[in-house]
Amino acid sequence: MLVLITYDVNTETAAGRKRLRNVAKQCVNYGRRVQNSVFECILDQAQCVALKSSLSDMIDENTDSLRFYYLGNKYQAKVEHIGIDRGIPADAPLIF
C-alpha cells in the first residue's frame, strides 16, 4: 500500500534539528522524498507498523507533528501530480 508520511519537527533547538535529521533518514529507508517533509512509501502491513513505531519514538509529541495518509493499493488513481517530478516513482524498479 502507498503511505504518504508528512512531518513537522520543531528545529529551534539542537535536539530538534537532530530529530529532524533522524526522521528524514528513517523515511528515506522506506520510500522517496517528494517534498521537504513529505515521503511516499510503498509498505506492507508489517513495515508500516514498524516505521510508525520508529518515527513515533523519535519525535517530541509536545512540539512535533507526524501524519500518515493511507492511500491503499490502488493509489495510482488517487495521486495527481503537476509540475516537475523529482526522482523515480516509489514503486518503480531500480536497476544498478
Side-chain angles (χ1 to χ4, degrees):
M1 76 175 133
L2 178 67
V3 180
L4 189 70
I5 300 171
T6 67
Y7 54 88
D8 185 20
V9 177
N10 184 323
T11 58
E12 293 177 357
T13 65
R17 290 186 290 277
K18 183 177 179 180
R19 284 194 314 273
L20 177 67
R21 285 190 304 274
N22 290 338
V23 168
K25 286 179 185 178
Q26 188 68 8
C27 288
V28 165
N29 291 334
Y30 286 88
R32 78 170 182 139
R33 184 185 297 250
V34 292
Q35 293 191 0
N36 284 340
S37 297
V38 181
F39 282 81
E40 290 178 347
C41 303
I42 304 288
L43 306 170
D44 61 29
Q45 189 63 33
Q47 290 172 319
C48 189
V49 169
L51 179 57
K52 183 176 177 183
S53 174
S54 175
L55 293 175
S56 296
D57 290 344
M58 287 181 191
I59 68 163
D60 178 351
E61 293 184 13
N62 295 315
T63 60
D64 305 335
S65 173
L66 183 60
R67 296 177 68 100
F68 296 84
Y69 297 89
Y70 303 100
L71 300 179
N73 291 324
K74 298 183 181 184
Y75 59 87
Q76 290 92 345
K78 299 176 185 176
V79 177
E80 181 178 355
H81 180 88
I82 299 171
I84 188 166
D85 192 10
R86 302 189 196 298
I88 19 180
D91 59 348
L94 292 175
I95 300 172
F96 293 98

Coordinates of all heavy atoms in Angstrom, one line a residue:
M1 N 0.8 -1.2 0.0 CA 0.0 0.0 0.0 C 0.9 1.2 0.0 O 2.0 1.2 0.5 CB -0.9 0.0 1.2 CG -0.3 0.3 2.5 SD -1.5 0.5 3.9 CE -0.6 -0.5 5.1
L2 N 0.4 2.3 -0.5 CA 1.1 3.6 -0.5 C 0.7 4.4 0.7 O -0.5 4.5 1.0 CB 0.7 4.4 -1.8 CG 1.4 5.8 -1.8 CD1 2.9 5.7 -2.0 CD2 0.8 6.6 -3.0
V3 N 1.7 4.8 1.4 CA 1.5 5.6 2.6 C 2.3 6.9 2.4 O 3.5 6.9 2.1 CB 2.1 4.9 3.9 CG1 1.8 5.8 5.1 CG2 1.4 3.5 4.1
L4 N 1.6 8.0 2.6 CA 2.2 9.3 2.5 C 2.5 9.8 3.9 O 1.6 9.8 4.8 CB 1.2 10.3 1.8 CG 1.7 11.6 1.5 CD1 2.7 11.5 0.3 CD2 0.6 12.6 1.1
I5 N 3.7 10.1 4.2 CA 4.2 10.5 5.5 C 4.6 11.9 5.5 O 5.4 12.3 4.6 CB 5.3 9.6 6.0 CG1 4.9 8.1 6.1 CG2 5.8 10.1 7.4 CD1 6.0 7.2 6.4
T6 N 4.0 12.7 6.3 CA 4.4 14.1 6.5 C 4.8 14.4 7.9 O 4.3 13.8 8.8 CB 3.2 15.1 6.0 OG1 2.2 15.0 7.0 CG2 2.7 14.8 4.7
Y7 N 5.7 15.3 8.1 CA 6.1 15.6 9.4 C 6.5 17.1 9.5 O 6.9 17.7 8.5 CB 7.3 14.8 9.9 CG 8.5 14.7 9.0 CD1 9.5 15.7 9.1 CD2 8.6 13.8 8.0 CE1 10.6 15.7 8.3 CE2 9.7 13.8 7.1 CZ 10.7 14.7 7.3 OH 11.8 14.7 6.4
D8 N 6.4 17.6 10.7 CA 6.9 19.0 11.0 C 7.6 18.9 12.4 O 7.0 18.6 13.4 CB 5.7 19.9 11.1 CG 6.1 21.4 11.3 OD1 7.2 21.7 11.0 OD2 5.2 22.2 11.8
V9 N 8.9 19.1 12.3 CA 9.7 18.9 13.6 C 10.2 20.3 13.9 O 10.8 21.0 13.1 CB 10.9 17.9 13.3 CG1 11.8 17.9 14.6 CG2 10.3 16.6 13.0
N10 N 10.0 20.7 15.2 CA 10.5 22.0 15.7 C 12.0 22.0 15.7 O 12.6 21.2 16.4 CB 9.9 22.2 17.1 CG 10.3 23.5 17.6 OD1 11.4 24.0 17.4 ND2 9.4 24.1 18.4
T11 N 12.6 22.9 15.0 CA 14.1 22.9 14.8 C 14.7 24.1 15.5 O 15.8 24.5 15.2 CB 14.5 22.9 13.4 OG1 13.9 24.1 12.7 CG2 14.1 21.7 12.7
E12 N 14.1 24.6 16.5 CA 14.6 25.8 17.3 C 15.8 25.4 18.2 O 16.5 26.3 18.6 CB 13.5 26.5 18.1 CG 12.4 27.1 17.2 CD 11.3 27.7 18.0 OE1 11.3 27.6 19.3 OE2 10.4 28.3 17.4
T13 N 15.9 24.1 18.5 CA 17.0 23.7 19.4 C 17.8 22.7 18.6 O 17.4 22.1 17.6 CB 16.4 23.0 20.6 OG1 15.7 21.8 20.2 CG2 15.5 23.9 21.4
A14 N 19.0 22.4 19.1 CA 19.9 21.4 18.5 C 19.3 20.0 18.5 O 19.4 19.2 17.6 CB 21.3 21.4 19.2
A15 N 18.5 19.7 19.6 CA 17.8 18.4 19.7 C 16.8 18.3 18.6 O 16.6 17.2 18.1 CB 17.2 18.3 21.1
G16 N 16.1 19.4 18.4 CA 15.1 19.4 17.3 C 15.7 19.2 15.9 O 15.1 18.4 15.1
R17 N 16.8 19.8 15.7 CA 17.5 19.6 14.4 C 17.9 18.1 14.2 O 17.8 17.6 13.2 CB 18.6 20.6 14.2 CG 18.1 22.0 14.0 CD 19.2 23.0 13.7 NE 20.1 23.2 14.9 CZ 19.9 24.1 15.8 NH1 18.8 24.8 15.8 NH2 20.8 24.2 16.8
K18 N 18.4 17.5 15.3 CA 18.8 16.1 15.3 C 17.6 15.2 15.0 O 17.6 14.3 14.3 CB 19.5 15.8 16.6 CG 20.0 14.3 16.6 CD 20.7 14.0 17.9 CE 21.1 12.6 17.9 NZ 21.9 12.2 19.1
R19 N 16.4 15.5 15.7 CA 15.2 14.7 15.5 C 14.8 14.8 14.0 O 14.4 13.8 13.4 CB 14.1 15.2 16.4 CG 14.2 14.8 17.8 CD 12.9 15.0 18.6 NE 12.2 16.3 18.3 CZ 12.5 17.4 19.0 NH1 13.4 17.4 19.9 NH2 11.9 18.6 18.7
L20 N 14.9 16.0 13.4 CA 14.5 16.2 12.0 C 15.4 15.3 11.1 O 14.8 14.7 10.2 CB 14.6 17.7 11.6 CG 14.4 18.0 10.2 CD1 12.9 17.8 9.9 CD2 14.8 19.4 9.9
R21 N 16.7 15.3 11.3 CA 17.6 14.5 10.5 C 17.2 13.0 10.7 O 17.2 12.3 9.7 CB 19.0 14.8 10.9 CG 19.6 16.1 10.4 CD 21.1 16.2 10.6 NE 21.5 16.0 11.9 CZ 21.6 17.0 12.9 NH1 21.2 18.2 12.5 NH2 22.0 16.7 14.1
N22 N 17.0 12.6 11.9 CA 16.7 11.2 12.2 C 15.4 10.8 11.5 O 15.3 9.7 11.0 CB 16.6 10.9 13.7 CG 18.0 11.0 14.3 OD1 19.0 10.8 13.6 ND2 18.1 11.2 15.6
V23 N 14.4 11.6 11.6 CA 13.1 11.3 11.0 C 13.3 11.2 9.5 O 12.8 10.2 8.8 CB 12.0 12.3 11.3 CG1 10.8 12.2 10.5 CG2 11.6 12.2 12.8
A24 N 14.0 12.1 8.9 CA 14.2 12.1 7.4 C 15.0 10.8 7.0 O 14.6 10.2 6.0 CB 14.9 13.3 7.0
K25 N 16.0 10.5 7.8 CA 16.8 9.3 7.4 C 16.0 8.0 7.5 O 16.1 7.2 6.7 CB 18.0 9.2 8.4 CG 19.1 10.2 8.1 CD 20.2 10.0 9.1 CE 21.3 11.0 9.0 NZ 22.4 10.9 10.0
Q26 N 15.1 8.0 8.5 CA 14.3 6.8 8.6 C 13.3 6.7 7.5 O 13.1 5.6 6.9 CB 13.6 6.8 10.0 CG 12.8 5.6 10.3 CD 13.7 4.4 10.5 OE1 14.9 4.5 10.6 NE2 13.1 3.2 10.6
C27 N 12.7 7.8 7.1 CA 11.8 7.8 6.0 C 12.4 7.4 4.6 O 11.9 6.7 3.8 CB 11.1 9.2 5.8 SG 9.9 9.5 7.2
V28 N 13.7 7.9 4.4 CA 14.4 7.6 3.2 C 14.6 6.1 3.1 O 14.6 5.5 2.0 CB 15.8 8.3 3.2 CG1 16.7 7.7 2.2 CG2 15.6 9.8 2.9
N29 N 14.7 5.4 4.2 CA 14.9 3.9 4.2 C 13.7 3.2 3.7 O 13.8 2.0 3.3 CB 15.2 3.4 5.6 CG 16.6 3.8 6.1 OD1 17.5 4.1 5.3 ND2 16.8 3.9 7.4
Y30 N 12.5 3.8 3.7 CA 11.3 3.2 3.3 C 10.6 3.7 2.1 O 9.7 3.1 1.5 CB 10.3 3.2 4.5 CG 10.6 2.3 5.6 CD1 11.4 2.7 6.6 CD2 10.1 1.0 5.6 CE1 11.7 1.9 7.7 CE2 10.4 0.2 6.7 CZ 11.2 0.6 7.7 OH 11.5 -0.2 8.8
G31 N 11.0 4.9 1.6 CA 10.4 5.5 0.5 C 11.2 6.6 -0.2 O 12.4 6.7 0.0
R32 N 10.5 7.4 -0.9 CA 11.2 8.5 -1.6 C 10.6 9.9 -1.1 O 9.4 10.0 -0.9 CB 11.1 8.4 -3.1 CG 9.7 8.8 -3.7 CD 9.8 8.8 -5.2 NE 8.6 9.3 -5.8 CZ 8.4 10.1 -6.8 NH1 9.5 10.6 -7.4 NH2 7.2 10.5 -7.2
R33 N 11.5 10.8 -1.1 CA 11.1 12.2 -0.7 C 10.4 12.8 -1.9 O 11.0 12.9 -3.0 CB 12.3 13.0 -0.3 CG 12.0 14.4 0.2 CD 13.3 15.1 0.5 NE 14.1 14.5 1.6 CZ 14.2 15.0 2.8 NH1 13.7 16.1 3.1 NH2 14.9 14.4 3.7
V34 N 9.2 13.4 -1.7 CA 8.6 14.1 -2.8 C 8.5 15.6 -2.5 O 8.3 16.4 -3.5 CB 7.1 13.5 -3.1 CG1 7.2 12.1 -3.6 CG2 6.3 13.5 -1.8
Q35 N 8.6 16.0 -1.3 CA 8.8 17.4 -0.9 C 9.7 17.4 0.4 O 10.0 16.3 0.9 CB 7.5 18.1 -0.7 CG 6.7 18.2 -2.0 CD 5.5 19.1 -1.9 OE1 5.2 19.7 -0.8 NE2 4.8 19.3 -3.0
N36 N 10.0 18.5 0.9 CA 11.0 18.6 2.0 C 10.6 17.7 3.2 O 11.4 16.9 3.7 CB 11.2 20.0 2.5 CG 12.0 20.8 1.6 OD1 12.8 20.3 0.8 ND2 11.9 22.1 1.7
S37 N 9.4 17.7 3.6 CA 9.0 16.9 4.8 C 7.8 16.0 4.4 O 7.0 15.7 5.2 CB 8.5 17.8 5.9 OG 9.6 18.6 6.3
V38 N 7.9 15.5 3.1 CA 6.8 14.6 2.6 C 7.5 13.4 1.9 O 8.3 13.6 1.1 CB 5.9 15.3 1.7 CG1 4.8 14.4 1.2 CG2 5.3 16.5 2.3
F39 N 7.1 12.2 2.3 CA 7.6 11.0 1.7 C 6.5 10.1 1.2 O 5.4 10.0 1.9 CB 8.4 10.2 2.7 CG 9.8 10.7 3.0 CD1 10.0 11.8 3.8 CD2 10.9 10.2 2.3 CE1 11.3 12.3 4.0 CE2 12.2 10.7 2.5 CZ 12.3 11.8 3.3
E40 N 6.7 9.4 0.1 CA 5.8 8.4 -0.4 C 6.5 7.0 -0.1 O 7.6 6.8 -0.5 CB 5.6 8.5 -1.9 CG 4.8 9.7 -2.3 CD 4.6 9.8 -3.9 OE1 5.3 9.1 -4.6 OE2 3.8 10.6 -4.3
C41 N 5.8 6.2 0.5 CA 6.4 4.9 0.9 C 5.4 3.7 0.5 O 4.3 3.8 0.8 CB 6.6 4.8 2.4 SG 7.7 6.1 3.1
I42 N 6.0 2.8 -0.2 CA 5.3 1.6 -0.6 C 5.6 0.5 0.5 O 6.7 0.1 0.7 CB 5.7 1.0 -1.9 CG1 5.5 2.0 -3.0 CG2 4.9 -0.3 -2.2 CD1 4.1 2.4 -3.4
L43 N 4.6 0.2 1.4 CA 4.8 -0.6 2.5 C 3.8 -1.8 2.6 O 2.7 -1.6 2.2 CB 4.7 0.2 3.8 CG 5.5 1.5 3.9 CD1 5.0 2.3 5.1 CD2 7.0 1.2 4.0
D44 N 4.3 -2.9 3.2 CA 3.3 -3.9 3.6 C 2.9 -3.6 5.1 O 3.4 -2.6 5.7 CB 3.9 -5.3 3.5 CG 5.1 -5.6 4.3 OD1 5.2 -5.0 5.4 OD2 5.9 -6.4 3.9
Q45 N 2.0 -4.3 5.6 CA 1.4 -4.0 6.9 C 2.5 -4.1 8.0 O 2.6 -3.2 8.9 CB 0.3 -5.0 7.3 CG -0.4 -4.7 8.6 CD -1.2 -3.4 8.5 OE1 -1.7 -3.0 7.4 NE2 -1.3 -2.6 9.6
A46 N 3.4 -5.0 8.0 CA 4.5 -5.1 9.0 C 5.4 -4.0 8.9 O 5.8 -3.4 9.9 CB 5.3 -6.4 8.8
Q47 N 5.8 -3.6 7.7 CA 6.7 -2.4 7.5 C 6.0 -1.1 8.0 O 6.7 -0.3 8.6 CB 7.1 -2.2 6.1 CG 8.0 -3.3 5.5 CD 8.2 -3.2 4.0 OE1 7.2 -2.9 3.3 NE2 9.4 -3.4 3.5
C48 N 4.8 -1.0 7.8 CA 4.0 0.2 8.2 C 4.0 0.3 9.7 O 4.3 1.4 10.2 CB 2.6 0.1 7.6 SG 1.7 1.6 7.9
V49 N 3.7 -0.8 10.4 CA 3.7 -0.8 11.8 C 5.1 -0.5 12.4 O 5.2 0.4 13.3 CB 3.2 -2.1 12.4 CG1 3.4 -2.3 13.9 CG2 1.7 -2.3 12.0
A50 N 6.1 -1.1 11.8 CA 7.5 -0.8 12.3 C 7.9 0.6 12.1 O 8.5 1.2 13.0 CB 8.5 -1.8 11.6
L51 N 7.6 1.2 10.9 CA 8.0 2.5 10.6 C 7.2 3.5 11.5 O 7.8 4.5 12.1 CB 7.8 2.9 9.1 CG 8.1 4.3 8.7 CD1 9.6 4.6 9.0 CD2 7.8 4.5 7.2
K52 N 6.0 3.3 11.7 CA 5.1 4.2 12.5 C 5.7 4.2 13.9 O 5.8 5.2 14.6 CB 3.7 3.8 12.5 CG 2.8 4.7 13.2 CD 1.3 4.2 13.1 CE 0.4 5.1 13.9 NZ -1.0 4.6 13.8
S53 N 6.0 3.0 14.5 CA 6.5 2.9 15.8 C 7.9 3.6 15.9 O 8.1 4.4 16.9 CB 6.7 1.4 16.2 OG 7.3 1.3 17.4
S54 N 8.7 3.4 15.0 CA 10.1 4.0 15.0 C 10.0 5.5 14.9 O 10.6 6.2 15.7 CB 10.9 3.5 13.8 OG 12.1 4.1 13.7
L55 N 9.2 6.1 14.0 CA 9.0 7.5 13.9 C 8.3 8.1 15.2 O 8.7 9.2 15.6 CB 8.2 7.9 12.7 CG 8.9 7.6 11.3 CD1 8.0 7.9 10.2 CD2 10.2 8.3 11.2
S56 N 7.4 7.4 15.7 CA 6.7 7.9 16.9 C 7.6 8.0 18.1 O 7.5 8.9 18.9 CB 5.5 7.0 17.3 OG 4.6 7.0 16.3
D57 N 8.6 7.1 18.2 CA 9.6 7.1 19.2 C 10.6 8.3 19.0 O 11.2 8.8 20.0 CB 10.4 5.8 19.3 CG 9.5 4.7 19.8 OD1 8.4 4.9 20.4 OD2 9.9 3.5 19.6
M58 N 10.8 8.7 17.8 CA 11.8 9.8 17.5 C 11.3 11.2 17.8 O 12.1 12.0 18.2 CB 12.2 9.7 16.0 CG 13.0 8.6 15.7 SD 13.4 8.7 13.9 CE 14.1 7.1 13.6
I59 N 10.0 11.4 17.6 CA 9.6 12.8 17.7 C 9.2 13.2 19.2 O 9.0 12.3 20.0 CB 8.3 13.1 16.8 CG1 7.1 12.3 17.3 CG2 8.7 12.8 15.4 CD1 5.8 12.8 16.7
D60 N 9.1 14.5 19.4 CA 8.6 15.0 20.6 C 7.2 15.4 20.4 O 6.9 16.4 19.7 CB 9.5 16.2 21.0 CG 9.0 16.9 22.3 OD1 7.9 16.5 22.9 OD2 9.7 17.8 22.8
E61 N 6.3 14.6 21.0 CA 4.9 14.8 20.7 C 4.3 16.2 21.2 O 3.3 16.6 20.8 CB 4.0 13.7 21.3 CG 4.3 12.4 20.6 CD 3.4 11.3 21.2 OE1 2.4 11.5 21.9 OE2 3.7 10.1 20.8
N62 N 5.1 16.9 22.0 CA 4.7 18.2 22.5 C 5.0 19.3 21.6 O 4.4 20.4 21.6 CB 5.3 18.5 23.9 CG 4.9 17.5 25.0 OD1 3.7 17.3 25.1 ND2 5.8 17.0 25.7
T63 N 6.0 19.1 20.7 CA 6.4 20.2 19.7 C 6.4 19.8 18.3 O 6.4 20.6 17.4 CB 7.8 20.7 20.1 OG1 8.7 19.6 20.0 CG2 7.9 21.2 21.5
D64 N 6.4 18.5 18.0 CA 6.5 18.0 16.6 C 5.1 17.4 16.1 O 4.2 17.1 17.0 CB 7.5 16.9 16.5 CG 8.9 17.4 17.0 OD1 9.1 18.6 17.0 OD2 9.7 16.5 17.4
S65 N 5.0 17.2 14.8 CA 3.8 16.6 14.2 C 4.2 15.6 13.2 O 5.1 15.8 12.5 CB 3.0 17.7 13.6 OG 1.9 17.2 12.9
L66 N 3.5 14.5 13.2 CA 3.7 13.4 12.3 C 2.4 12.9 11.8 O 1.4 12.7 12.6 CB 4.4 12.3 13.1 CG 4.9 11.0 12.4 CD1 5.9 11.3 11.3 CD2 5.5 10.1 13.4
R67 N 2.2 12.8 10.4 CA 0.9 12.4 9.9 C 1.1 11.3 8.9 O 2.1 11.3 8.1 CB 0.2 13.6 9.2 CG -0.1 14.7 10.1 CD -0.8 15.8 9.4 NE -2.1 15.5 8.9 CZ -3.2 15.8 9.4 NH1 -3.3 16.4 10.6 NH2 -4.3 15.5 8.9
F68 N 0.2 10.3 8.9 CA 0.3 9.2 7.9 C -1.0 9.2 7.1 O -2.1 9.2 7.7 CB 0.4 7.9 8.7 CG 1.6 7.7 9.5 CD1 1.7 8.2 10.7 CD2 2.7 7.0 8.9 CE1 2.9 8.1 11.5 CE2 3.9 6.8 9.6 CZ 4.0 7.4 10.9
Y69 N -0.9 9.2 5.8 CA -2.1 9.1 4.9 C -2.0 7.7 4.2 O -1.1 7.5 3.5 CB -2.1 10.2 3.9 CG -2.2 11.6 4.5 CD1 -1.0 12.3 4.9 CD2 -3.4 12.2 4.7 CE1 -1.1 13.5 5.4 CE2 -3.5 13.5 5.3 CZ -2.3 14.1 5.6 OH -2.4 15.4 6.2
Y70 N -3.0 6.9 4.5 CA -3.0 5.6 3.9 C -3.8 5.6 2.6 O -5.0 5.7 2.6 CB -3.6 4.6 4.9 CG -2.9 4.6 6.2 CD1 -3.3 5.3 7.3 CD2 -1.7 3.9 6.3 CE1 -2.6 5.3 8.5 CE2 -1.0 3.9 7.5 CZ -1.5 4.7 8.6 OH -0.8 4.7 9.8
L71 N -3.1 5.5 1.5 CA -3.8 5.6 0.2 C -4.1 4.2 -0.4 O -4.8 4.2 -1.5 CB -2.9 6.4 -0.8 CG -2.6 7.8 -0.4 CD1 -1.7 8.5 -1.4 CD2 -3.9 8.6 -0.1
G72 N -3.7 3.2 0.2 CA -4.0 1.8 -0.2 C -3.3 1.3 -1.4 O -2.2 1.9 -1.8
N73 N -3.7 0.2 -2.0 CA -3.1 -0.5 -3.1 C -3.4 0.1 -4.5 O -2.7 0.0 -5.4 CB -3.4 -2.0 -3.1 CG -2.7 -2.6 -1.9 OD1 -1.6 -2.3 -1.5 ND2 -3.4 -3.6 -1.3
K74 N -4.5 0.8 -4.6 CA -4.9 1.4 -5.8 C -4.7 2.9 -5.8 O -5.5 3.7 -6.2 CB -6.4 1.1 -6.1 CG -6.6 -0.4 -6.2 CD -8.0 -0.8 -6.6 CE -8.2 -2.3 -6.7 NZ -9.4 -2.7 -7.1
Y75 N -3.5 3.3 -5.3 CA -3.2 4.7 -5.1 C -3.0 5.4 -6.4 O -3.1 6.6 -6.4 CB -1.9 4.8 -4.3 CG -0.7 4.1 -4.9 CD1 0.1 4.8 -5.8 CD2 -0.4 2.8 -4.6 CE1 1.2 4.1 -6.4 CE2 0.7 2.2 -5.2 CZ 1.5 2.8 -6.0 OH 2.5 2.2 -6.6
Q76 N -2.7 4.7 -7.6 CA -2.4 5.4 -8.8 C -3.6 6.3 -9.2 O -3.4 7.4 -9.7 CB -2.1 4.5 -9.9 CG -0.8 3.7 -9.8 CD -0.9 2.4 -9.1 OE1 -1.9 2.1 -8.4 NE2 0.1 1.6 -9.1
A77 N -4.8 5.9 -8.9 CA -6.0 6.7 -9.3 C -6.2 7.9 -8.3 O -7.0 8.7 -8.5 CB -7.2 5.8 -9.3
K78 N -5.5 7.8 -7.1 CA -5.7 8.8 -6.1 C -4.7 9.9 -6.0 O -4.8 10.9 -5.3 CB -5.7 8.1 -4.7 CG -6.9 7.1 -4.6 CD -6.8 6.4 -3.3 CE -7.8 5.3 -3.2 NZ -7.7 4.5 -2.0
V79 N -3.6 9.8 -6.8 CA -2.5 10.7 -6.8 C -2.4 11.5 -8.2 O -2.4 10.9 -9.2 CB -1.1 10.0 -6.6 CG1 0.0 11.0 -6.6 CG2 -1.2 9.3 -5.2
E80 N -2.4 12.8 -8.1 CA -2.3 13.6 -9.3 C -1.1 14.5 -9.0 O -1.0 15.1 -8.0 CB -3.6 14.4 -9.5 CG -3.5 15.3 -10.7 CD -4.8 16.1 -10.9 OE1 -5.8 15.9 -10.2 OE2 -4.8 16.9 -11.8
H81 N -0.3 14.7 -10.0 CA 0.9 15.5 -9.9 C 1.0 16.5 -11.0 O 0.8 16.1 -12.2 CB 2.2 14.6 -9.9 CG 3.4 15.4 -9.8 ND1 4.0 15.7 -8.6 CD2 4.2 16.0 -10.7 CE1 5.1 16.4 -8.7 NE2 5.2 16.6 -10.0
I82 N 1.3 17.7 -10.7 CA 1.5 18.8 -11.7 C 2.9 19.4 -11.5 O 3.3 19.7 -10.3 CB 0.4 19.9 -11.6 CG1 -1.0 19.2 -11.8 CG2 0.7 21.0 -12.5 CD1 -2.1 20.1 -11.5
G83 N 3.6 19.6 -12.5 CA 5.0 20.2 -12.4 C 6.1 19.2 -12.4 O 5.8 18.0 -12.7
I84 N 7.3 19.6 -12.2 CA 8.4 18.7 -12.3 C 8.4 17.6 -11.2 O 8.0 17.9 -10.1 CB 9.7 19.5 -12.2 CG1 10.9 18.6 -12.5 CG2 9.9 20.2 -10.8 CD1 12.2 19.4 -12.7
D85 N 8.7 16.4 -11.6 CA 8.7 15.3 -10.8 C 10.1 14.9 -10.5 O 10.8 14.4 -11.4 CB 7.9 14.1 -11.4 CG 7.6 13.0 -10.4 OD1 7.9 13.2 -9.2 OD2 7.1 11.9 -10.8
R86 N 10.6 15.0 -9.3 CA 12.0 14.7 -9.0 C 12.1 13.3 -8.6 O 11.3 12.8 -7.8 CB 12.5 15.6 -7.9 CG 12.3 17.1 -8.2 CD 13.0 17.9 -7.1 NE 12.7 19.3 -7.1 CZ 12.9 20.2 -8.1 NH1 13.4 19.8 -9.2 NH2 12.6 21.5 -8.0
G87 N 13.1 12.6 -9.1 CA 13.4 11.2 -8.7 C 12.5 10.2 -9.5 O 11.8 10.6 -10.4
I88 N 12.6 9.0 -9.0 CA 11.9 7.9 -9.6 C 10.7 7.6 -8.7 O 10.7 7.8 -7.5 CB 12.7 6.7 -9.8 CG1 13.9 6.7 -8.9 CG2 13.0 6.3 -11.1 CD1 14.8 5.5 -9.0
P89 N 9.6 7.1 -9.3 CA 8.4 6.7 -8.5 C 8.8 5.7 -7.5 O 9.7 4.9 -7.7 CB 7.5 6.1 -9.6 CG 7.9 6.7 -10.9 CD 9.4 6.9 -10.8
A90 N 8.1 5.7 -6.4 CA 8.3 4.8 -5.2 C 8.2 3.3 -5.6 O 8.8 2.5 -5.1 CB 7.4 5.1 -4.1
D91 N 7.4 3.0 -6.6 CA 7.1 1.6 -7.0 C 7.9 1.2 -8.3 O 7.7 0.1 -8.7 CB 5.6 1.4 -7.2 CG 5.0 2.3 -8.2 OD1 5.7 3.2 -8.7 OD2 3.9 2.0 -8.6
A92 N 8.7 2.1 -8.8 CA 9.5 1.7 -10.0 C 10.7 0.9 -9.6 O 11.3 1.0 -8.6 CB 9.9 3.0 -10.7
P93 N 11.0 -0.1 -10.5 CA 12.2 -0.9 -10.3 C 13.5 -0.1 -10.4 O 13.6 0.8 -11.2 CB 12.1 -2.0 -11.3 CG 11.2 -1.4 -12.4 CD 10.3 -0.4 -11.8
L94 N 14.5 -0.4 -9.6 CA 15.8 0.2 -9.6 C 16.8 -0.8 -10.2 O 16.8 -1.9 -9.8 CB 16.3 0.6 -8.3 CG 15.5 1.7 -7.6 CD1 16.0 1.9 -6.2 CD2 15.7 3.0 -8.4
I95 N 17.5 -0.4 -11.2 CA 18.5 -1.3 -11.8 C 19.9 -0.6 -11.6 O 20.1 0.5 -12.0 CB 18.2 -1.5 -13.4 CG1 16.8 -2.1 -13.5 CG2 19.3 -2.3 -14.0 CD1 16.3 -2.1 -15.0
F96 N 20.7 -1.4 -11.0 CA 22.1 -0.9 -10.7 C 23.1 -1.5 -11.7 O 23.0 -2.6 -12.0 CB 22.5 -1.2 -9.3 CG 21.7 -0.4 -8.3 CD1 20.7 -1.0 -7.7 CD2 22.0 0.9 -8.0 CE1 19.9 -0.3 -6.7 CE2 21.3 1.6 -7.1 CZ 20.2 1.0 -6.4

